[in-house]
Amino acid sequence: METTVILLKPDCVGRRLVGEVIRRFEAAGFTIKGAKMMAMTRELLREHYAHLVAEPFYPLLEAFMMSSPVIALAVGGDGVIERARTLVGPTDSRKAAAGTIRGDLGTDNRRNILHASDSPEAAAKELSRFFHSGELFGD
Ligand code: TYD
């Protein structure tokens, strides 16, 4: 069984969509293996979004991600890394199909509700970035 990392972003928390998003993962047959609410720091964001730090939109992304706490989830299931990305939809919510989480609930390419690890390598890195081993259950 694979495990992926989902971050419920400030727009998800602020718009009270936490339950709806978790419901969708559970309805798809995935299992919550870890969960924590946390305030993102500048340092953690620079590590998590290292591939984007030089982008002109990075300051806005950083401000958004620090505008309220986020909720980090470890989500387990067969093929969950790729299947979660399909469930989430593309980065820009305006271009995401109906039926995807971003297509149904997101606003644009920054306020897009959640993060999902994009590869097995990223999932492994993000699991150790956001969780200690004692904070993951069900293995
Ligand atoms: P990225 O890793 O490209 O996408 P995804 O979240 O779909 O894996 O980008 C990370 C986040 O950066 C994205 O979820 C929202 C933010 N972002 C912007 O704010 N503006 C942009 O133009 C892009 C491409 C991303």
Side-chain angles (χ1 to χ4, degrees):
M1 186 171 85
E2 286 181 348
T3 305
T4 196
V5 173
I6 301 295
L7 299 178
L8 303 182
K9 297 183 179 184
D11 55 336
C12 180
V13 176
R15 290 173 55 209
R16 303 188 181 94
L17 293 170
V18 169
E20 170 60 18
V21 173
I22 292 177
R23 188 196 66 73
R24 289 184 184 218
F25 282 101
E26 291 189 328
F30 302 129
T31 302
I32 304 301
K33 298 176 68 183
K36 64 159 72 160
M37 193 162 204
M38 57 192 292
M40 283 286 204
T41 63
R42 259 189 191 86
E43 295 66 36
L44 196 56
L45 279 170
R46 283 184 165 267
E47 192 184 310
H48 183 65
Y49 285 137
H51 61 298
L52 298 174
V53 169
E55 295 290 339
F57 61 77
Y58 188 78
L60 283 173
L61 173 60
E62 184 185 80
F64 168 61
M65 291 298 290
M66 293 177 67
S67 64
S68 85
V70 303
I71 295 174
L73 302 173
V75 178
D78 288 335
V80 69
I81 298 169
E82 198 180 328
R83 288 174 59 209
R85 293 282 294 186
T86 304
L87 211 59
V88 166
T91 309
D92 190 341
S93 308
R94 294 165 296 201
K95 296 182 182 152
T100 65
I101 296 173
R102 285 171 169 167
D104 292 346
L105 306 173
T107 305
D108 52 30
N109 63 359
R110 181 170 62 252
R111 291 168 295 173
N112 61 8
I113 303 288
L114 74 175
H115 164 85
S117 310
D118 67 3
S119 66
E121 297 71 30
K125 269 193 205 157
E126 292 170 8
L127 275 174
S128 60
R129 179 173 301 143
F130 294 107
F131 294 94
H132 301 295
S133 55
E135 295 172 334
L136 295 174
F137 301 88
D139 275 329

